[in-house]
Amino acid sequence: MQKLNDLSRSPSPLDPDGTLIAVIELSLSSWLVAGIVPGVERQPLKKLAVDESALLKLLHRWRDEAAKAGHHIKRIAVAFEAGRDGFWLARWLRAHDIEVHVIHASSVAVSREHRRAKTDRLDTSLLKRSFLGWLRGERDHCKMVAIPTIKDEDAKRPNREHESLVGERSRIVNRMKAALIRLGIRGFNPKLKKAAGRLEDLRTPEGEPILPNMLAELRRDMERRQLINDQIRQIEDARLERIEQAPGDGPNAMVLLLARVIGVGIETAAMLVQEVLARNMRDRRAVARYAGLTGSPDESG
């Protein structure tokens, strides 16, 4: 029996005569909308400005065209690939009674030819074929992404910002070490508290001090690193404050429970709760696949 959270195929049967199907190729400056309208022989294709109201009007116009052709539209199904725009458009369309699905971009099969034509028009044709197969309940056409609420997305921001800041801090330290090694200076640790005061005392193998431009660059890197450290500390303090204020809240209780495991800190526990346990995994094997403990069905070996 199909699982309720199985996004590899549509849970509802497809009625071709009563379903208006549309796919959207999203870009930064425009949207290309392609549709399959019952009773209309042509395959409509419309380029729109980035305007959700214009998109809704277009869908309603196509619905009226199907009605004039003698087809009563009971279902409007829209799909687009997950990308830069995120999920705001899906939430907005759902609020206006439009069925929306977000396609996992890497699940759409494309030509493996080294040189192949690629335009927005061809992309929408490929999305239509994949989405139509998904709506028919056939496997291996494409997979959908679960659409989170805006609160769920906001709850992930502290962990992701923390990860980004930690990576940026490491890049600054590595850049400083590389700059000093170019001068023949090794063994200097920029992460020490008194590192900024020791810069002027550093000497090259020739006994020369660091030249002014390089010294000014290193000082600016030190200031950036200190600013990032302060921001990381603010995120960690805010997380602890939220947990202390509502320790019995669902996610906070899970974080505290995981933090009792030896070797798991608050940061790791919060990441697991927001990024892993918040997902509606199909079964234990899906959890193991997400963690990399076992292979996925489309992997060989």
Side-chain angles (χ1 to χ4, degrees):
M1 185 177 69
Q2 184 182 359
K3 302 292 184 179
L4 294 177
N5 59 338
D6 185 3
L7 300 178
S8 62
R9 54 182 174 177
S10 175
S12 304
L14 176 64
D15 177 17
D17 293 330
T19 303
L20 170 62
I21 300 173
V23 297
I24 312 171
E25 179 67 22
L26 303 176
S27 65
L28 186 61
S29 58
S30 63
W31 293 344
L32 187 63
V33 188
I36 301 176
V37 183
V40 178
E41 185 65 24
R42 63 182 175 86
Q43 297 287 316
L45 187 67
K46 181 68 174 178
K47 187 174 184 179
L48 300 175
V50 180
D51 184 356
E52 60 275 13
S53 298
L55 173 62
L56 188 61
K57 290 180 181 178
L58 178 64
L59 296 174
H60 289 168
R61 192 184 78 191
W62 286 349
R63 182 187 60 186
D64 295 339
E65 291 182 11
K68 291 180 181 179
H71 293 265
H72 176 62
I73 300 300
K74 303 176 183 177
R75 179 185 183 189
I76 301 178
V78 179
F80 55 87
E81 285 183 317
R84 179 188 300 162
D85 284 87
F87 301 98
W88 73 269
L89 181 59
R91 288 191 292 262
W92 188 87
L93 288 173
R94 282 187 173 181
H96 289 77
D97 300 324
I98 302 295
E99 178 184 340
V100 187
H101 303 280
V102 180
I103 301 174
H104 198 303
S106 62
S107 69
V108 179
V110 297
S111 174
R112 299 179 63 184
E113 297 177 5
H114 180 65
R115 294 173 64 88
R116 63 182 179 91
K118 187 182 186 304
T119 64
D120 288 345
R121 183 185 295 269
L122 294 176
D123 288 344
T124 55
S125 298
L126 179 62
L127 286 180
K128 277 196 300 185
R129 290 194 297 270
S130 300
F131 187 38
L132 187 58
W134 185 87
L135 288 172
R136 288 196 297 259
E138 302 172 6
R139 291 187 179 274
D140 300 328
H141 280 277
C142 64
K143 294 181 181 179
M144 299 300 170
V145 180
I147 300 175
T149 65
I150 193 169
K151 291 184 178 180
D152 291 338
E153 285 195 303
D154 187 65
K156 300 179 188 300
R157 298 315 309 166
N159 293 311
R160 296 183 179 183
E161 183 186 5
H162 187 278
E163 182 181 4
S164 176
L165 290 174
V166 169
E168 187 175 351
R169 181 177 61 182
S170 299
R171 287 191 294 272
I172 291 175
V173 172
N174 293 337
R175 185 170 65 244
M176 293 179 66
K177 290 182 177 180
L180 291 173
I181 288 175
R182 285 197 298 269
L183 300 178
I185 301 175
R186 299 175 181 271
F188 179 76
N189 189 355
K191 295 184 289 186
L192 297 178
K193 291 184 178 180
K194 298 181 180 180
R198 294 180 53 198
L199 286 175
E200 295 183 355
D201 299 333
L202 295 177
R203 293 294 183 269
T204 66
E206 295 87 357
E208 298 292 334
I210 302 176
L211 293 179
N213 289 336
M214 178 67 75
L215 187 61
E217 179 184 348
L218 292 173
R219 284 174 176 168
R220 285 190 290 269
D221 282 337
M222 287 284 190
E223 292 175 0
R224 292 192 193 97
R225 182 181 176 277
Q226 184 58 46
L227 174 61
I228 292 174
N229 279 337
D230 295 339
Q231 292 177 344
I232 291 175
R233 194 174 299 110
Q234 290 173 10
I235 295 173
E236 294 173 348
D237 292 343
R239 180 188 295 111
L240 292 176
E241 183 178 354
R242 287 194 299 269
I243 293 176
E244 291 176 358
Q245 290 177 352
D249 189 25
N252 294 339
M254 294 173 67
V255 170
L256 292 175
L257 181 62
L258 287 175
R260 294 169 58 185
V261 179
I262 297 176
V264 178
I266 293 293
E267 174 61 30
T268 303
M271 183 275 295
L272 291 173
V273 169
Q274 298 297 340
E275 298 291 348
V276 182
L277 301 180
R279 298 174 183 267
N280 191 11
M281 298 292 187
R282 187 186 312 168
D283 49 29
R284 290 179 296 177
R285 187 179 294 275
V287 177
R289 283 198 298 266
Y290 183 87
L293 300 178
T294 185
S296 60
D298 55 353
E299 289 181 344
S300 61

